Amino acid sequence: MAGPTESRHGMWSNRWLFVLAAAGSAVGLGNIWKFPYIAGENGGGAFVILYLLCIAFVGIPIMMAEVLIGREGRQSPINTMRHLIKQHHRHPAWVLIGWAGVAAGFLILSYYVVIAGWALYYILQMGSGALEGATAEQAGALFAEFLDSPIELIFWQTLFMVLTVYIISRGVISGLETAVRWFMPMLFLLMAVLLGYAVTSDGWSQGVEFMFRMDFDSLTPDAVLAAMGQAFFTLSLGMGAIMAYGAYVPSSASIFSTVSIIAGLDTLVAVVAGLAIFPIVFANGLEPSQGPGLMFVTVPLAFGQMPLGALFGTLFFLLVSFAAITSAISISEPALAYLVEEYNARRGRVAISLGVISWILGLGTVFSFNYWADVNVLGQPTFFDFASFVTDKVLLPIGGLFIGLFGAWALPKTVIGAQLGIDGGFRAVLWKLLAGAVAPLAVLVVFVNTLLG
Ligand code: PFF
């Protein structure tokens, strides 16, 4: 009953490399850049608690469903869905899970690369000592000037895209495995340094209070949707990235334990990023709700005041860039694997085409911070806000909803049992309950609530 045991694209060397690669996908700009600024915009506290609940009750079951489906099919998400639909006589419309994921991937990659380019720019800024001893105003002004220059933004966007395309064209598995082996531990170490600085800063208690206070008044329906969207984004769920990675997981690895470790690491990095950033915000009289610029102002400010700050600051943005690259690679994997399978195409060629298309789409995000700063796109303030809204708050949760339903109800008991290592009984019921009911219902309730609210 079990599916194939190998993928034509390659296999992770062992289950720990899958954990590192999937953690590399999950840990990225979503944790260090996005989580603090979204928490800031939504008033912290209650938002953070909801986010943690979403990770536990929606994120983990759906991540398990992605790995389960991917490992059963062992192909790109689109072809995995086609194969499973045919094998188990399911409705052909389920394949939309794969296609929607590819569409979401293009949009996410397009803006992800622009923001990751900002991190590259800050490697240079920190390294040159330009921010040594800077005040909050100076750090803010430097960032504002940078955003005002489309040419510079495009330069860094292009550089990051070239790096991404280079790595994916060389083959994800060996390139990625090597990268995550080295960079993930270093990232953890630097996060600890930054946290250490924040703990000793004047704003520490205010920062902690902001992150964990139970102020349920600030919990609007929009904040609930934002918490759920962030849970999907940060765990790389709902678009088939983890499904694509799941296709390369050895059959012997336990899905539940690997997924729990991945989600745990991801959550740890996000919480530490918040605990490192908010105290600096309060100690310097900055606004927690300042939006996408939050990390790019507070972190340089903190390093600018530390001994050896230029060195650590450079390393920090270098590692943010690596965290972003290990995520960017996974965003393109579903489309890349599909095109390679479908047209027997060379990975390198496909990688370049994908890169060019997302790069062009990414110009919309570049201009969102200057030329088109006032151009509404379908009710969203800018193109960047639109791309972010459509992916995090619509495509990823809806994709996740159907992935959960498929993984719980559309596959035969024997397949689910073999993949999850359970033989019916209580754990099988729990699986159907969580992946097939609680997680999809949570997505649905949040949607309906937001529409009505
Ligand atoms: N999880 C990544 C982050 O937090 O930065 C972003 C991401 C990667 C989203 C892969 C979606 C995806 F498929």
Side-chain angles (χ1 to χ4, degrees):
M1 205 63 215
T5 53
E6 297 273 331
S7 153
R8 66 178 274 188
H9 302 283
M11 297 289 289
W12 304 118
S13 305
N14 59 52
R15 77 183 181 110
W16 286 108
L17 281 151
F18 167 62
V19 169
L20 271 189
S25 166
V27 174
L29 296 174
N31 307 63
I32 311 169
W33 161 70
K34 206 163 188 172
F35 171 72
Y37 98 71
I38 297 188
E41 284 181 337
N42 288 287
F47 169 88
V48 175
I49 291 159
L50 259 180
Y51 161 83
L52 295 175
L53 287 174
C54 289
I55 297 277
F57 292 102
V58 183
I60 290 183
I62 292 187
M63 190 184 267
M64 289 177 67
E66 287 212 24
V67 179
L68 187 167
I69 297 169
R71 189 163 74 172
E72 182 63 24
R74 295 240 182 259
Q75 300 174 59
S76 66
I78 293 176
N79 281 329
T80 280
M81 291 308 297
R82 281 182 182 157
H83 167 74
L84 296 178
I85 287 165
K86 202 161 145 210
Q87 194 178 14
H88 304 296
H89 313 290
R90 297 300 172 209
H91 196 283
W94 284 109
V95 76
L96 286 176
I97 289 177
W99 288 107
V102 167
F106 272 108
L107 261 183
I108 296 178
L109 190 64
S110 80
Y111 73 80
Y112 206 83
V113 166
V114 174
I115 313 291
W118 300 357
L120 290 181
Y121 169 79
Y122 269 86
I123 297 175
L124 202 75
Q125 290 304 312
M126 296 305 302
S128 71
L131 283 143
E132 249 165 273
T135 61
E137 289 75 40
Q138 285 163 336
L142 182 103
F143 184 63
E145 268 167 42
F146 175 54
L147 288 190
D148 229 16
S149 164
I151 296 293
E152 278 198 70
L153 299 187
I154 292 174
F155 174 81
W156 296 102
Q157 172 209 15
T158 310
L159 187 61
F160 193 87
M161 187 61 98
V162 169
L163 289 174
T164 306
V165 167
Y166 174 73
I167 296 176
I168 57 181
S169 66
R170 289 194 49 124
V172 184
I173 296 157
S174 57
L176 198 69
E177 281 199 1
T178 320
V180 293
R181 248 187 248 251
W182 289 96
F183 298 128
M184 298 304 286
M186 281 168 74
L187 180 70
F188 286 121
L189 195 73
L190 272 151
M191 296 290 301
V193 171
L194 202 63
L195 182 66
Y197 173 81
V199 170
T200 56
S201 89
D202 294 341
W204 172 250
S205 52
Q206 239 180 312
V208 172
E209 208 222 288
F210 182 77
M211 283 264 297
F212 296 115
R213 74 187 156 177
M214 296 271 196
D215 166 19
F216 285 95
D217 289 346
S218 61
L219 221 52
T220 59
D222 280 348
V224 181
L225 182 61
M228 199 182 61
Q230 176 60 15
F232 275 94
F233 184 84
T234 191
L235 291 178
S236 309
L237 296 180
M239 54 153 283
I242 297 295
M243 200 186 286
Y245 274 20
Y248 318 144
V249 177
S251 303
S252 57
S254 149
I255 294 185
F256 177 69
S257 63
T258 45
V259 163
S260 305
I261 298 169
I262 296 160
L265 282 176
D266 185 79
T267 306
L268 185 73
V269 174
V271 169
V272 169
L275 287 177
I277 285 176
F278 288 118
I280 303 170
V281 169
F282 293 113
N284 290 282
L286 296 166
E287 276 303 315
S289 59
Q290 64 182 273
L294 188 63
M295 177 185 91
F296 293 96
V297 176
T298 51
V299 173
L301 186 64
F303 281 121
Q305 295 168 0
M306 258 182 241
L308 290 183
L311 176 70
F312 281 115
T314 309
L315 278 177
F316 176 81
F317 281 104
L318 194 66
L319 290 166
V320 171
S321 308
F322 283 122
I325 260 207
T326 55
S327 301
I329 291 165
S330 71
I331 303 173
S332 26
E333 190 61 17
L336 193 64
Y338 171 71
L339 292 168
V340 168
E341 287 162 6
E342 205 61 11
Y343 302 103
N344 232 339
R346 286 227 305 273
R347 248 187 111 93
R349 293 224 176 131
V350 176
I352 293 175
S353 326
L354 291 181
V356 170
I357 298 172
S358 316
W359 182 87
I360 295 174
L361 258 180
L363 294 177
T365 292
V366 166
F367 298 146
S368 296
F369 296 95
N370 36 70
Y371 297 148
W372 297 348
D374 301 319
V375 178
N376 277 33
V377 178
L378 298 177
Q380 294 295 317
T382 64
F383 178 88
F384 164 68
D385 291 293
F386 168 76
S388 176
F389 176 85
V390 172
T391 48
D392 307 6
K393 294 184 184 163
V394 184
L395 290 172
L396 300 187
I398 300 274
L401 187 162
F402 286 107
I403 289 170
L405 290 178
F406 191 84
W409 305 109
L411 292 174
K413 252 203 321 244
T414 43
V415 166
I416 296 175
Q419 284 293 350
L420 296 182
I422 53 181
D423 41 12
F426 172 69
R427 285 189 293 175
V429 175
L430 194 64
W431 169 248
K432 289 215 186 308
L433 191 73
L434 284 177
V438 172
L441 268 178
V443 173
L444 212 66
V445 166
V446 170
F447 265 110
V448 172
N449 207 18
T450 315
L451 289 184
L452 296 181

